[in-house]
Amino acid sequence: MSFSNSTPSPLSVVIACGGTGGHLFPGIAVAQELKARGHKVTLLISQKKVDAKAIEKYGDFDFRVTEAIAMPRIPSLALFGFSVKLYKAIRYCSALLDEVGADVVLGMGGFTSFPPIYAAHKKGIKTYVHDSNALPGKANRLTSRWCHKVLLGIEEAIHYFKPEKCVVTGTPIRQELVPLMDKEQARQLLQLPMDRQIVLIMGGSQGAMNLNTLVVEAAAKCPELCDFLIITGAKDYERICNLTANMAHVHVIDFCSNMAAAYAATDLVIARSGASSLTELAHMGKGALLIPYPHAADDHQAHNARVFAAHGAAHMIREESLSADKIHSFLQETFNNPEVLADLNECALRLDFPDAVSRIASVIESSHN
């Protein structure tokens, strides 16, 4: 499929993107692109805090709030309550589609996408769902039955859908990461040394304590090799600060509000392998040591990490096999061999879809030309 930028008549597009940052920020990026092309966009979000912050930051969009509904296990006593909530959500979405005169509904993934897509399908409205993982979630596999096209962030996911429905578009990144920052400027901003190699550690919002501990132990083994920038998360910040109080080459922050600077300032990354993180690593051309979150649904982070490892963009170690010695060995091998680091970074960049947001917008427009 070609991705032309020819603009058809203005469309009314509803984007369901609430629930997590991994759905929300790509959805907002698509909304910004569609709005720039002259289309009307309504964003359907959940009641969660991450979504509420978006309303404050992107106040020029029409946000509508609906209840986030998670599918319970089957069999489950919660199934009846879920069915009632789902029925109400579909009715709400059906009324919303009529109100805004929707021509298109795009779901950015998760079960929040199902009610508006199902309601739109019943009305004969064009529907799309985007999946950013190598192993699509059960909700998206279900939702895809009522979709005109399935948009994929990772090509390997095509095996889980009807191939004729699939279009590989990549996953949009947060707009604040699009302009690449200069390394020296980024290090000045984060107060990091100019003459050292630096590894960025980001354990994600879930389950980072063990990873943080092992990284600190590895850092103690190699003060001469590199500096460490650890984003601990709020819960683990004080503990890691205490552990690294006498380690001048370890820099600890609880949260980073400027990830563009964090990526630009650092040379290598140790991270979980959620789809959003990998999308950003590819865009920034950063090689990584990936430690999949062991409790992710269907172990999907391991599938993501295997794709990046297979393409030479990362090394993968399961958390149950992780040790300070293995982290230390990886850092030594990478930083002591410039060609190894260069290969990792180059392979990561090859996985980037810099025009992902444009591709998605063009797919939506093409079905109405």
Side-chain angles (χ1 to χ4, degrees):
M1 172 178 285
S2 63
F3 299 95
S4 70
N5 286 319
S6 59
T7 304
S9 300
L11 301 171
S12 176
V13 184
V14 174
I15 301 178
C17 58
T20 70
H23 297 144
L24 179 66
F25 295 115
I28 290 174
V30 175
Q32 290 171 326
E33 175 71 11
L34 288 170
K35 185 176 180 180
R37 295 189 184 197
H39 303 299
K40 174 186 174 184
V41 182
T42 305
L43 289 154
L44 191 59
I45 61 173
S46 76
Q47 298 165 321
K48 294 184 178 181
K49 290 182 179 179
V50 65
D51 295 0
K53 289 183 179 180
I55 294 178
E56 298 173 3
K57 190 172 182 180
Y58 302 96
D60 55 333
F61 281 109
D62 179 13
F63 286 97
R64 304 298 180 93
V65 179
T66 186
E67 186 174 0
I69 307 171
M71 178 73 174
R73 292 184 179 181
I74 300 176
S76 169
L77 294 175
L79 195 58
F80 176 75
F82 164 79
S83 300
V84 172
K85 289 181 180 179
L86 179 60
Y87 173 73
K88 290 181 178 179
I90 292 172
R91 284 193 61 184
Y92 170 82
C93 291
S94 181
L96 173 63
L97 299 179
D98 290 340
E99 179 191 339
V100 301
D103 300 299
V104 179
V105 173
L106 168 64
M108 294 307 296
F111 212 84
T112 306
S113 294
F114 177 79
I117 284 178
Y118 183 79
H121 172 78
K122 288 295 184 182
K123 292 177 178 291
I125 296 171
K126 288 288 178 67
T127 54
Y128 303 84
V129 67
H130 181 275
D131 196 292
S132 54
N133 289 294
L135 174 63
K138 293 176 183 177
N140 279 2
R141 281 179 266 172
L142 173 65
T143 301
S144 70
R145 298 179 188 179
W146 293 277
C147 287
H148 178 63
K149 292 289 183 183
V150 178
L151 313 179
L152 302 179
I154 296 177
E155 186 174 2
E156 282 78 358
I158 198 170
H159 306 294
Y160 299 93
F161 301 103
K162 291 182 178 180
E164 64 273 16
K165 280 189 171 185
C166 295
V167 182
V168 180
T169 60
T171 298
I173 64 165
R174 290 178 280 177
Q175 289 301 293
E176 53 262 40
L177 298 181
V178 173
L180 298 179
M181 187 178 291
D182 175 74
K183 176 182 280 191
E184 183 174 330
Q185 178 189 358
R187 290 192 173 188
Q188 286 177 344
L189 189 64
L190 297 174
Q191 298 182 322
L192 297 172
M194 295 290 175
D195 58 346
R196 297 265 289 172
Q197 299 201 90
I198 300 174
V199 57
L200 169 66
I201 296 87
M202 45 183 195
S205 60
Q206 305 180 82
M209 287 187 66
N210 182 53
L211 175 58
N212 291 342
T213 299
L214 293 175
V215 165
V216 170
E217 291 176 3
K221 297 174 180 287
C222 55
E224 76 295 336
L225 181 65
C226 62
D227 274 36
F228 294 74
L229 174 61
I230 307 177
I231 305 175
T232 63
K235 293 180 180 179
D236 209 22
Y237 176 70
E238 186 175 346
R239 183 180 72 93
I240 297 302
C241 282
N242 290 334
L243 288 176
T244 59
N246 297 318
M247 301 168 71
H249 66 301
V250 179
H251 314 270
V252 182
I253 56 177
D254 61 341
F255 174 77
C256 183
S257 59
N258 192 339
M259 284 305 299
Y263 284 122
T266 52
D267 302 287
L268 189 64
V269 179
I270 298 175
R272 297 299 193 191
S273 47
S276 294
S277 294
L278 296 191
T279 298
E280 293 174 1
L281 291 176
H283 181 72
M284 298 295 177
K286 297 294 181 181
L289 173 62
L290 299 176
I291 319 297
Y293 179 59
H295 307 296
D298 298 324
D299 202 24
H300 70 268
Q301 286 205 11
H303 287 77
N304 292 344
R306 289 190 192 103
V307 169
F308 268 60
H311 284 274
H315 290 209
M316 168 186 163
I317 303 178
R318 300 299 301 242
E319 179 142 343
E320 59 267 25
S321 303
L322 189 65
S323 66
D325 286 337
K326 288 183 179 180
I327 295 173
H328 181 219
S329 295
F330 170 76
L331 294 175
Q332 280 192 314
E333 177 189 357
T334 306
F335 281 138
N336 288 332
N337 298 281
E339 68 279 3
V340 172
L341 179 59
D343 285 346
L344 280 171
N345 292 343
E346 183 179 340
C347 290
L349 198 57
R350 288 176 188 164
L351 293 173
D352 182 32
F353 286 85
D355 59 345
V357 69
S358 178
R359 286 177 177 235
I360 292 172
S362 294
V363 169
I364 290 172
E365 289 179 344
S366 66
S367 65
H368 291 269
N369 283 342

